[in-house]
Amino acid sequence: MALAVILGIVSVGMTIPGLIPPKDDHRPVVRIAAGLSSNDSANTAGNQPGLRLYDIMGRTIGSIGGKKQRINDGGFIDIKVPFDKGVGTKPAEYIQVTNGGDDALCIAYISLTQPDGTSKAWYGDVARDCGADWYHSLLTTGDDEDYQPSCVWIDGNGSYGLRFRGLGLHIHDFANTAGRAAQFNGNKTVMCDAAPRFRMYTEISDKDYIPFFNPPLQLVNGTDVDPGAVLDKSRWALPKEGPHITKAFIDQDPNGAKKRRQLQDSAFGNANSSVVIVSASPKHSAKELCESETSRGYDFVSSMEHMFCDMEAKKLWPVCNSNTTSACFDVRSSTMTRGKGLRGRDSRSGTVPPEKHYAKTVHWG
């Protein structure tokens, strides 16, 4: 996906309904939007996360702990973050997000409104493109009614093989400008490999502190004047407060052996085998989910592709129709049909179709 679509910044006076939280004259307001749930019995998308906001020099300006309060599937929560005593009303630059409990949360976007009305937004597609655990989202956001951002998973206890407990981002660096999009598309490392700009964390709590750029980066029209400075680790500073996220701060190779091992050990699909999602959206691809090493979530059917993704095995199967009646997924009964080969094998691939029986079928669109 072209990054021009997934970067978001809104100027003073502009409003995008459903994306930007309302202004509060005395506190910054952060909106956390959930893509879907990992806890179908509760029909929620997870616990309200904890937040810590920092100014341009990495000083904490306000924080609020996570709560057991739940965010509904496809919904959002607006969190008013009180300023720390003596801070005044400094603008927030860096946002730290930590899971508020053990229910996994899939974040589709994060938006921020400052007390002066300036608003900015960040989409989960950034995290997906940087190797985070992700899934399709039901949400439609922004002024493009066809845009449905991916959501990124954070989880407090690593259930279902989910790797990350939180994230940190410098939201000002995700300006929706042609220059910024060209820079990120031309060199993804300046988006994904600079910890102060954006980082997923395997170990983080609301008592930890994330890094910042010191000195601050120089930007022209939202674009880095010196891209090399972004990756210069001598400019990655940690706040004087502590403790710091030492393990998570170490550069994590998204293609490393540790990640592959964790993904292979994941049982997300098996743990959620009672639910299958059927989407009619042309933006939702079962093929993309199955071919991604880092996608995590329920088994998925794309009505547009006529394909079913078995998320546990990461294998694609056709949807049954008048021409395909064996070794296919029957949407009407939400089951896999047997193949015509020996012992029910698929005569085309020789693979035995998995046994699939769902208690619930969720239709998107």
Side-chain angles (χ1 to χ4, degrees), residues 218-272:
Q218 290 184 302
L219 305 177
V220 174
N221 296 324
T223 304
D224 299 313
V225 173
D226 180 10
V230 179
L231 302 174
D232 181 358
K233 291 186 179 181
S234 68
R235 299 178 62 139
W236 299 2
L238 285 166
K240 293 182 180 180
E241 301 118 313
H244 301 129
I245 41 181
T246 52
K247 283 188 177 181
F249 183 64
I250 298 172
D251 192 20
Q252 301 165 9
D253 177 9
N255 297 309
K258 181 178 180 182
K259 184 207 72 168
R260 288 193 295 271
R261 183 172 65 253
Q262 287 173 323
L263 292 179
Q264 290 167 355
D265 291 344
S266 170
F268 195 109
N270 185 52
N272 291 276

Side-chain angles (χ1 to χ4, degrees), residues 306-326:
H306 305 289
M307 299 297 294
F308 163 76
C309 176
D310 176 355
M311 288 290 289
E312 184 179 8
K314 288 294 183 74
K315 180 171 176 57
L316 277 172
W317 296 91
V319 170
C320 299
N321 56 34
S322 58
N323 297 318
T324 303
T325 58
S326 64

Side-chain angles (χ1 to χ4, degrees), residues 4-331:
V5 179
I6 68 176
L7 304 176
I9 186 166
V10 183
S11 303
V12 176
M14 294 179 63
T15 305
I16 298 178
L19 177 64
I20 301 301
K23 173 187 172 184
D24 185 295
D25 291 337
H26 306 290
R27 293 170 291 185
V29 185
V30 178
R31 174 169 293 180
I32 304 290
L36 78 163
S37 170
S38 71
N39 185 344
D40 182 66
S41 62
N43 193 30
T44 68
N47 301 124
Q48 175 182 322
L51 297 173
R52 184 183 299 276
L53 305 182
Y54 304 80
D55 68 9
I56 194 170
M57 291 307 300
R59 294 172 292 236
T60 299
I61 62 173
S63 63
I64 188 167
K67 300 179 180 179
K68 296 295 185 180
Q69 179 180 350
R70 304 183 185 281
I71 308 175
N72 293 329
D73 289 340
F76 61 81
I77 189 167
D78 291 340
I79 304 172
K80 297 180 179 181
V81 183
F83 283 113
D84 286 352
K85 186 176 180 180
V87 167
T89 57
K90 291 182 179 179
E93 294 263 345
Y94 295 88
I95 301 177
Q96 173 180 327
V97 182
T98 54
N99 192 278
D102 291 338
D103 283 349
L105 172 66
C106 204
I107 299 174
Y109 69 83
I110 299 170
S111 54
L112 165 71
T113 298
Q114 310 274 15
D116 67 2
T118 305
S119 299
K120 299 173 178 64
W122 172 94
Y123 296 112
D125 288 328
V126 172
R128 180 202 62 192
D129 287 357
C130 291
D133 302 329
W134 70 278
Y135 195 67
H136 289 315
S137 168
L138 180 60
L139 288 178
T140 299
T141 64
D143 53 2
D144 181 355
E145 294 183 355
D146 293 328
Y147 177 47
Q148 293 177 298
S150 303
C151 62
V152 55
W153 290 102
I154 61 172
D155 184 33
N157 62 358
S159 56
Y160 312 131
L162 298 173
R163 296 171 291 158
F164 302 106
R165 296 190 177 192
L167 62 89
L169 64 101
H170 187 212
I171 197 166
H172 288 250
D173 286 350
F174 295 92
N176 186 13
T177 67
R180 173 58 85 196
Q183 192 170 67
F184 283 173
N185 279 319
N187 183 8
K188 194 178 289 186
T189 60
V190 298
M191 180 176 75
C192 299
D193 294 350
R197 172 161 286 166
F198 169 72
R199 178 58 50 91
M200 299 294 302
Y201 294 104
T202 56
E203 295 185 26
I204 190 172
S205 74
D206 56 8
K207 295 180 176 61
D208 294 317
Y209 296 79
I210 60 173
F212 63 98
F213 289 113
N214 186 22
L217 298 176
Q218 290 184 302
L219 305 177
V220 174
N221 296 324
T223 304
D224 299 313
V225 173
D226 180 10
V230 179
L231 302 174
D232 181 358
K233 291 186 179 181
S234 68
R235 299 178 62 139
W236 299 2
L238 285 166
K240 293 182 180 180
E241 301 118 313
H244 301 129
I245 41 181
T246 52
K247 283 188 177 181
F249 183 64
I250 298 172
D251 192 20
Q252 301 165 9
D253 177 9
N255 297 309
K258 181 178 180 182
K259 184 207 72 168
R260 288 193 295 271
R261 183 172 65 253
Q262 287 173 323
L263 292 179
Q264 290 167 355
D265 291 344
S266 170
F268 195 109
N270 185 52
N272 291 276
S273 58
S274 62
V275 179
V276 62
I277 291 178
V278 180
S279 175
S281 171
K283 303 297 182 180
H284 293 157
S285 169
K287 184 173 184 290
E288 181 183 18
L289 280 175
C290 262
E291 291 180 349
S292 170
E293 286 190 353
T294 56
S295 62
R296 283 288 170 269
Y298 305 109
D299 287 349
F300 194 88
V301 175
S302 167
S303 299
M304 299 296 291
E305 293 176 326
H306 305 289
M307 299 297 294
F308 163 76
C309 176
D310 176 355
M311 288 290 289
E312 184 179 8
K314 288 294 183 74
K315 180 171 176 57
L316 277 172
W317 296 91
V319 170
C320 299
N321 56 34
S322 58
N323 297 318
T324 303
T325 58
S326 64
C328 58
F329 185 79
D330 188 337
V331 176

